[in-house]
């Protein structure tokens, strides 16, 4: 009987969730870049902490954490766009985290005041224009794209995209809901084609002459410049205009991370986010994925 009890206890221990093991951190990430994979390996090399990564779309991962509830093995949730961080916050996904290192590295404007999430990278929502058809254009505002001058010339992805939703939110903040709605209607009236594809497809559309201006996140163009021959050729036919330089400036969003409320490896989770906010990781985000670092003073 004693031997049987020992066997059962040993079996239970061997089948315990790996999330409870020491020296691990379980990361649910909506980012899917080679740079991130390299940083995960570097974190393990530096700390000895194994990273278990689950990648997926933000909504899918949020639903999974919600379904798993208090038994979720997730320690860290990483996503892109402040809108999704806000959604995770409203869903009660995060727990408050205090870290002198994170508070010193990340400006207050790029992290939650209660430490629910921390910005990791910045991405500008810029305008890409045709070099051939708009050779002299150097200044442009988001608001200009809704004017009659741009009818049939604007390319932008679907309004269901979180990047565009956050851009509209910034216009609501700057101009109020009525003017923001008028801007949205003006954009729809000026579309060169029905919204389709991602940001790279909008850049390719400008290069192919389907439209004269596209709204995109800056790093997509940067990565096309370093990409395959076709993307590099398309990128050579366009250039970036940073909008609204005479007033509020270009809309800048973030990707970010927070410690999950039920995190079984909380200390490792905080250490992992601190690593991503460190100068080494921030420099790799910039050089490897062409995003802007959140840490001030880095290129």
């Amino acid at each position: 009987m004693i031997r049987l009890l020992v066997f059962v206890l040993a079996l239970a221990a061997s089948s315990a969730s790996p999330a409870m093991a020491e020296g691990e951190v379980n990361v649910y990430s909506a980012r899917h870049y080679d740079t991130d994979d390299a940083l995960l390996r570097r974190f393990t090399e530096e700390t000895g902490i194994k990273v278990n990564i689950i990648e997926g779309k933000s909504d899918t991962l949020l639903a999974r954490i919600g379904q798993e509830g208090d038994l979720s093995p997730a320690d860290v949730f990483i996503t892109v766009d402040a809108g999704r961080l806000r959604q995770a916050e409203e869903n009660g996904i995060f727990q408050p985290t205090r870290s002198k290192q994170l508070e010193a590295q990340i400006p207050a404007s790029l992290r939650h005041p209660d430490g629910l999430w921390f910005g990791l990278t910045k991405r500008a929502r810029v305008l890409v224009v045709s070099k051939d058809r708009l050779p002299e254009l150097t200044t442009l505002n988001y608001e200009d794209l809704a004017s009659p001058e741009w009818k049939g010339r604007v390319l932008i992805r679907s309004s269901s995209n979180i990047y565009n939703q956050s851009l509209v939110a910034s216009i609501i903040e700057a101009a109020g809901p009525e003017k923001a709605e008028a801007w949205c209607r003006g954009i729809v009236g000026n579309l060169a084609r029905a919204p389709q594809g991602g940001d790279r497809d909008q850049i390719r559309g400008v290069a192919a002459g389907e439209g004269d201006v596209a709204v995109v996140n800056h790093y997509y163009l940067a990565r096309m410049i370093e990409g395959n021959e076709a993307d590099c050729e398309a990128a050579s036919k366009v250039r970036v205009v940073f909008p609204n330089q005479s007033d509020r400036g270009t809309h800048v969003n973030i990707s970010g991370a927070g410690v999950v409320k039920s995190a079984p490896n909380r200390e490792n989770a905080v250490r992992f986010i601190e690593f991503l906010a460190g100068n080494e990781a921030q420099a790799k985000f910039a050089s490897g994925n062409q995003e802007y670092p959140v840490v001030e003073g880095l290129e």
Side-chain angles (χ1 to χ4, degrees):
M1 187 67 175
I2 293 176
R3 289 181 178 178
L4 178 60
L5 179 59
V6 170
F7 173 77
V8 170
L9 290 175
L11 181 61
S14 66
S15 61
S17 169
M20 301 304 293
E22 293 182 3
E24 294 188 345
V25 62
N26 302 312
V27 178
Y28 286 25
S29 179
R31 288 176 58 94
H32 43 80
Y33 309 117
D34 293 342
T35 301
D36 292 45
D37 295 337
L39 286 173
L40 301 186
R41 294 191 295 270
R42 176 62 181 145
F43 174 74
T44 299
E45 291 173 1
E46 183 176 300
T47 65
I49 298 172
K50 179 183 177 183
V51 181
N52 301 313
I53 184 79
I54 293 179
E55 294 182 344
K57 294 184 177 180
S58 183
D59 291 342
T60 302
L61 294 175
L62 281 175
R64 176 169 178 164
I65 294 172
Q67 291 168 357
E68 292 169 342
D70 293 339
L71 298 179
S72 176
D75 294 308
V76 176
F77 176 58
I78 302 176
T79 190
V80 294
D81 199 277
R84 291 191 174 117
L85 288 167
R86 176 67 173 175
Q87 182 182 1
E89 176 189 338
E90 291 177 340
N91 289 355
I93 297 298
F94 297 130
Q95 61 171 284
T97 298
R98 294 303 303 271
S99 163
K100 291 182 179 179
Q101 182 176 334
L102 290 174
E103 291 168 8
Q105 285 284 97
I106 303 174
S109 61
L110 301 178
R111 51 182 164 87
H112 191 276
D114 297 325
L116 294 182
W117 50 259
F118 300 87
L120 296 176
T121 66
K122 296 185 294 186
R123 50 267 302 277
R125 196 95 178 122
V126 300
L127 305 179
V128 168
V129 301
S130 167
K131 285 182 178 178
D132 293 336
R133 297 183 297 281
L134 298 168
E136 304 300 326
L137 183 66
T138 57
T139 60
L140 196 62
N141 293 340
Y142 296 115
E143 289 81 357
D144 295 334
L145 301 186
S147 67
E149 174 188 354
W150 292 94
K151 188 172 183 62
R153 304 169 71 186
V154 177
L155 295 172
I156 192 170
R157 63 198 295 178
S158 169
S159 61
S160 64
N161 174 253
I162 191 69
Y163 301 151
N164 286 337
Q165 292 173 6
S166 291
L167 174 60
V168 172
S170 75
I171 295 175
I172 292 174
E173 175 69 16
E178 292 184 2
K179 289 184 178 180
E181 181 178 348
W183 181 81
C184 290
R185 294 184 183 280
I187 291 291
V188 171
N190 286 347
L191 290 177
R193 66 182 184 195
Q196 55 186 268
D199 281 10
R200 285 188 184 90
D201 296 301
Q202 315 315 313
I203 297 169
R204 295 177 185 126
V206 172
E210 297 177 37
D212 291 337
V213 59
V215 183
V216 300
N217 280 359
H218 79 275
Y219 56 88
Y220 286 107
L221 177 59
R223 284 154 60 185
M224 287 176 68
I225 291 172
E226 297 182 342
N228 59 41
E229 183 177 351
D231 275 353
C232 190
E233 181 181 358
S236 70
K237 297 180 179 180
V238 304
R239 59 188 173 83
V240 170
V241 174
F242 285 86
N244 293 80
Q245 292 303 292
S246 61
D247 46 56
R248 67 181 181 277
T250 298
H251 172 63
V252 175
N253 215 308
I254 60 172
S255 69
V259 178
V260 177
K261 188 175 182 179
S262 57
N265 303 293
R266 186 183 184 282
E267 290 185 6
N268 290 348
V270 175
R271 192 171 179 182
F272 178 71
I273 298 175
E274 288 175 341
F275 170 80
L276 295 180
N279 287 356
E280 178 184 354
Q282 287 287 298
K284 290 188 182 298
F285 279 134
S287 63
N289 203 46
Q290 308 298 338
E291 295 174 275
Y292 292 106
V294 294
V295 175
E296 295 177 349
L298 294 181
E299 292 186 356

